[in-house]
Amino acid sequence: IHGDPAGPEPWAALDALLTRSFRHPREVQDLRVAASAIDTGGHRTSQVMAYSAARLARRIWAIKGKGGPGVPAWPRRPPKPQRATTTPLHIVGVDGLKSQLFARLRIEPGEGPGVCHFPADRDVTWFAGLMAERPVRKWTRGVARIEWIVDRGVRNEPLDCRVYAAAALAGLGAAGFSLRDAAMRISSAPLREEVANAAPSPPRPAVIRSRWIHGK
């Protein structure tokens, strides 16, 4: 979505995306966006906070990324609302999420859970943005720490979006949101398809109603 976040047009376009429904490949049910994490950094903090405040019931969360070791992917305790607004600001640990993502990118399809899936329309520029940062070990006063460095001339928005989507997923778990019921419905889809494609049942025999038995 391109545009000035100070105006209403980008936010209206975002609303149109976040309220869409998506057809599952097995056509079990339409899927909707369960949660969203929107970065408050830069010059759009007030717009993000206002947008989130009006949509907290839909789990549209205002977040801020924080680097460094030991920062959890999602706050362990519900954050308090900011002074100037009633909207909570969620601090998410981006370093751990990036490390998790890069570890999963190494998993080959078919090797088990954690493999990454991408839409077919992603181009080379998008994947360059996904891989735009790299961990570098730096020493400060004899203490080693990992710092993620952005490659020069490469935009890292695809990486940010992927990381913040993972943060929103962690937020769903912290909020007690369960995908178990949906997963059960999806996993039972092949069985329903097999039943639907099976040979039709033989017709039930006709019932002859006797006047004597039924008193007619």
Side-chain angles (χ1 to χ4, degrees), residues 27-122:
E27 297 186 357
V28 179
Q29 61 180 358
D30 287 342
L31 304 179
R32 290 185 174 274
V33 176
S36 300
I38 306 181
D39 187 13
T40 60
H43 61 282
R44 58 188 181 274
T45 301
S46 59
Q47 288 86 358
V48 174
M49 300 300 284
Y51 185 84
S52 172
R55 295 160 180 82
L56 281 176
R58 288 168 39 205
R59 296 175 291 275
I60 308 299
W61 292 315
I63 62 107
K64 184 177 181 180
K66 183 179 181 180
V71 184
W74 195 257
R76 294 188 177 95
R77 296 181 179 179
K80 296 181 179 179
Q82 299 298 293
R83 295 179 180 178
T85 177
T86 59
T87 308
L89 179 62
H90 302 78
I91 305 299
V92 301
V94 294
D95 285 7
L97 290 170
K98 290 176 183 178
S99 298
Q100 180 189 68
L101 170 61
F102 276 69
R104 289 181 173 178
L105 288 172
R106 299 187 186 98
I107 303 176
E108 296 290 339
E111 290 186 355
V115 64
C116 295
H117 302 266
F118 301 99
D121 61 355
R122 295 293 187 261

Side-chain angles (χ1 to χ4, degrees), residues 19 30 41 43 48 93 99 120 138 145 149 152 159 161 164 184 187-188 190 202:
T19 56
D30 287 342
H43 61 282
V48 174
S99 298
K138 293 190 174 183
R145 61 184 179 87
I149 305 298
R152 183 176 299 179
L159 175 60
C161 289
Y164 293 150
M184 290 178 62
S187 63
S188 64

